[in-house]
Amino acid sequence: MSAEFKHITVLLNEAVDTLVDDPDGFYIDGTFGRGGHSALVLSRLSAQGQLMGIDKDPEAIACAAERFGDDPRFSIERGSFAQLEAFVRQRELAGKVDGVLLDLGVSSPQLDDPNRGFSFMADGPLDMRMNPDVGESVAEWLAHAAEKEIADVLYTYGEERHSRRMARAIVNEREQEPIVTTGRLAKIITEANPAWEKGKNPATRAFQGIRIFINRELEDLEDCLDQALEVLKPGGRLVVISFHSLEDRIVKRFIRKYVKGDEHLPPGIPVTDDMLNIRLKAVGKAVKAGREEVSDNPRSRSAVMRVAKKVR
């Protein structure tokens, strides 16, 4: 990996410490990225332990081959973590997985490389796909999306209060000339934003919302969480690091749902845990990056890690 696009892994020790409790186990890094978490997991595994990585990004796949291609304990699958169960079943390991790790969001190399089209800080082609071989780029989507659809994406996924003004500006500007670069889109959004937040680029929320939509990040997360529960063995751990309130809300609700179990039973009836179908136990409280980590890596400031253990 070039120093220019170096990735600093967030909550590295905290995540791996709680994930790996059996050096002979089978673990999944559902968001391989540039292999920071995977490297530490492998250092904790015995010769019998196994780690499967998953990533959409062809550059992440190339990084995996370069870093761990000679390690027989490691394998990598190109695709979404929403395909987790299929990858596990190919190995005939459903219900036998010791731990699943998800480090959500976009990696630093993706953000920092203007050619990937994620960043409003440097001009580049307007793409934002984590897997550039699948689906529409942002430029392609903006060329045909209705004004209401654009506004809904900015509001729902970016939590942008001025979504309608921004969508109207985008539609007006594309009639003059196609919007094909990050710099032009950032300029349009910035000029349409009437209330800049202190310390935050005016295009931040809009770019974030569009990226989440284009990559189906929330839908894939919901699918993956359900599948992780099925592939984990009893006692297996689910570790999720979120960087966005919408992601963290999904994870929090998922864990709470299966910690509580079935809630349809009439009140006052004595029930056992088996009758409630409790499937998860929360492990500790939500963990955030400490001051030192935030100082070294400002992108870690919004990170929230939640952990759950499968009961049955």
Side-chain angles (χ1 to χ4, degrees):
M1 189 192 316
S2 70
E4 184 181 3
F5 301 132
K6 184 178 179 181
H7 178 69
I8 302 174
T9 305
V10 175
L11 293 170
L12 174 59
N13 290 295
E14 292 88 341
V16 177
D17 285 348
T18 194
L19 178 75
V20 179
D21 65 350
D22 180 2
D24 297 333
F26 178 78
Y27 295 90
I28 299 172
D29 183 348
T31 47
F32 177 83
R34 293 304 181 266
H37 285 115
S38 284
L40 189 56
V41 170
L42 287 168
S43 75
R44 305 283 179 86
L45 297 184
S46 69
Q48 287 72 44
Q50 295 287 318
L51 174 65
M52 178 179 74
I54 303 172
D55 208 291
K56 297 178 179 181
D57 192 337
E59 294 180 10
I61 302 301
C63 175
E66 180 181 344
R67 293 192 68 179
F68 309 122
D70 295 331
D71 193 329
R73 303 171 301 164
F74 178 80
S75 61
I76 185 82
E77 296 282 357
R78 184 180 177 190
S80 168
F81 52 48
Q83 300 167 266
L84 181 149
E85 188 170 7
F87 293 142
V88 171
R89 290 194 180 279
Q90 288 172 7
R91 292 163 169 77
E92 300 182 346
L93 289 170
K96 301 177 182 178
V97 176
D98 291 84
V100 174
L101 170 65
L102 303 175
D103 180 6
L104 305 175
V106 61
S107 70
S108 295
Q110 289 170 328
L111 279 173
D112 295 338
D113 184 355
N115 292 319
R116 299 302 302 272
F118 284 96
S119 178
F120 45 76
M121 302 298 290
D123 200 20
L126 189 55
D127 195 318
M128 291 199 207
R129 288 173 294 175
M130 293 180 181
N131 183 350
D133 299 328
V134 174
E136 289 184 309
S137 68
V138 174
E140 292 167 335
W141 174 66
L142 287 181
H144 67 77
E147 181 179 324
K148 183 179 184 305
E149 181 184 5
I150 297 171
D152 287 347
V153 166
L154 299 184
Y155 182 79
T156 302
Y157 296 105
E159 300 180 301
E160 175 53 70
R161 291 179 299 155
H162 307 292
S163 58
R164 291 182 181 178
R165 291 174 61 113
M166 293 175 179
R168 193 175 309 121
I170 288 169
V171 170
N172 289 340
E173 287 294 326
R174 79 182 180 192
E175 291 176 356
Q176 308 302 316
E177 183 182 351
I179 303 170
V180 295
T181 66
T182 54
R184 182 154 182 249
L185 178 60
K187 183 174 185 292
I188 294 167
I189 290 171
T190 297
E191 292 177 351
N193 190 336
W196 294 14
E197 297 176 59
K198 185 177 181 180
K200 180 175 288 190
N201 187 291
T204 299
R205 293 182 183 275
F207 265 64
Q208 184 171 256
I210 292 171
R211 187 207 83 217
I212 290 172
F213 167 76
I214 285 292
N215 291 288
R216 289 182 46 85
E217 292 177 40
L218 301 187
E219 294 85 353
D220 281 3
L221 174 59
E222 289 176 337
D223 288 344
C224 181
L225 292 174
D226 287 333
Q227 293 175 35
L229 185 56
E230 297 308 315
V231 303
L232 283 168
K233 72 178 188 182
R237 295 197 171 197
L238 173 66
V239 180
V240 187
I241 302 171
S242 306
F243 292 83
H244 188 283
S245 59
L246 295 177
E247 296 169 339
D248 184 52
R249 199 172 303 151
I250 289 171
V251 177
K252 184 178 180 179
R253 286 175 177 172
F254 175 82
I255 293 174
R256 184 171 57 197
K257 174 183 176 181
Y258 287 104
V259 166
K260 285 186 174 182
D262 294 336
E263 297 182 311
H264 65 277
L265 298 172
I269 295 179
V271 294
T272 64
D273 285 354
D274 286 346
M275 293 172 66
L276 286 172
N277 194 30
I278 292 172
R279 303 195 66 193
L280 288 175
K281 177 182 179 182
V283 178
K285 297 181 179 179
V287 176
K288 297 185 178 182
R291 290 184 181 179
E292 185 176 345
E293 180 170 3
V294 172
S295 177
D296 292 340
N297 180 18
R299 287 175 180 166
S300 69
R301 67 184 179 274
S302 60
V304 179
M305 184 179 80
R306 297 187 186 274
V307 182
K309 180 189 294 187
K310 181 173 178 177
V311 176
R312 59 189 296 266

